[in-house]
Amino acid sequence: MGTRPCKQRRARLTAGALLALQISLIAPAAHDAAAADAPRSSTAVTAPAPASAIRPAGARTAVTGTYDADVLATARSPYRQASAPRAETATRTGTKTKTKTKTETKAETEAGTTSRTEAAATSSHPIQPIRIGHLQATQQLRKAGLRWKSSGGCTNRRVRTCTSLEAVRAATVTDVIALKQRSGCPVVVTGGTEVGHAPGRYSHHRGYKLDIKPNDCINRYITREHVLDGIRGDGAPLYRDSGTVYARESDHWDILFR
């Protein structure tokens, strides 16, 4: 009877000791598991990254979200960097083109103004006819087979009995040569720019008229090939061919070349 209580006490002490040992072993393990399962704090997140995670200076990385100008400069593509100077050059070229266009427009405007001014001057001051001297005129007549004759045997323009071609229109000499060529008749000039003829804008003195000696050939040609256009105030019949007017006077043909 006395032995049983002792054994029971010893068993309880042994069981308590085992339980204490088990608790001492289980507590650290539970603490480690609890620490592992606990959420991360902000302190752990802000820990510096390992050195190996730092991006190298020349590495190309996709940039997303909000970033500053330095990141943009790093992430800019080679195409955009290359195209920027071309765009700037094109802009400057366009500016020059516009400036050139304005300059050309101004030049064209000034040229147009000058042309209008010259046209106005020409209309108010008609082009003067080309005139030649007596020697040059007679040389052209002689070369074309025409002759000239003076009743006074002289060429002085200030003497009415002379036959002068001084300051005659070059076109008048050309037209009288053409008359000989068309008609095939002999033509002799007997009156030119000397004094003694009727005045006027289209007169002998101004180089628009010549007198030629009548002959059967030239008489027939003028009267047949040209239209009778009335009688002049002094009674001379008028024959007209475009701008040329033939007046048959008593001893010569008075011809106006226009």
Side-chain angles (χ1 to χ4, degrees):
M1 296 289 295
T3 304
R4 183 175 297 176
C6 291
K7 290 183 178 179
Q8 293 178 349
R9 188 180 301 113
R10 191 179 300 115
R12 285 195 296 268
L13 289 175
T14 301
L18 291 174
L19 179 61
L21 179 61
Q22 185 176 2
I23 292 173
S24 63
L25 294 175
I26 295 172
H31 181 271
D32 293 340
D37 295 337
R40 293 182 182 178
S41 64
S42 59
T43 304
V45 176
T46 58
S52 59
I54 297 177
R55 177 170 51 85
R60 297 182 60 184
T61 307
V63 181
T64 60
T66 304
Y67 37 82
D68 55 17
D70 294 335
V71 176
L72 279 175
T74 304
R76 187 178 299 160
S77 67
Y79 172 77
R80 292 187 61 185
Q81 293 179 355
S83 62
R86 289 199 297 268
E88 184 179 358
T89 303
T91 302
R92 287 199 292 264
T93 305
T95 303
K96 291 180 180 179
T97 304
K98 291 180 181 178
T99 303
K100 183 178 180 182
T101 303
K102 290 180 180 179
T103 303
E104 292 177 350
T105 303
K106 182 178 179 181
E108 292 174 359
T109 302
E110 291 177 354
T113 304
T114 303
S115 300
R116 288 194 296 270
T117 303
E118 291 177 352
T122 302
S123 61
S124 59
H125 300 285
I127 298 176
Q128 296 298 320
I130 298 174
R131 301 180 184 278
I132 58 178
H134 176 83
L135 180 60
Q136 185 178 359
T138 54
Q139 286 176 345
Q140 291 183 17
L141 294 177
R142 188 178 301 110
K143 185 177 180 179
L146 288 79
R147 296 186 300 122
W148 69 275
K149 181 180 179 180
S150 169
S151 59
C154 54
T155 61
N156 192 334
R157 191 180 184 190
R158 297 180 178 86
V159 179
R160 62 185 306 158
T161 57
C162 296
T163 299
S164 176
L165 296 178
E166 187 66 31
V168 69
R169 290 168 62 245
T172 299
V173 176
T174 301
D175 289 342
V176 74
I177 292 174
L179 172 63
K180 182 197 184 309
Q181 293 172 344
R182 291 195 309 269
S183 65
C185 301
V187 174
V188 180
V189 176
T190 59
T193 59
E194 66 278 354
V195 296
H197 300 281
R201 180 177 180 182
Y202 302 106
S203 62
H204 279 270
H205 187 72
R206 294 180 64 85
Y208 284 88
K209 280 188 171 186
L210 291 178
D211 292 341
I212 67 172
K213 184 178 181 179
N215 59 65
D216 291 340
C217 180
I218 198 68
N219 294 344
R220 284 194 303 270
Y221 176 78
I222 294 174
T223 56
R224 290 180 181 178
E225 300 297 328
H226 302 84
V227 178
L228 180 63
D229 192 31
I231 305 296
R232 200 167 66 181
D234 59 356
L238 299 176
Y239 297 86
R240 185 181 299 274
D241 176 19
S242 185
T244 305
V245 181
Y246 306 85
R248 182 62 168 94
E249 298 188 19
S250 58
D251 60 347
H252 65 271
W253 282 98
D254 179 65
I255 308 175
L256 167 62
F257 298 99
R258 292 179 62 180

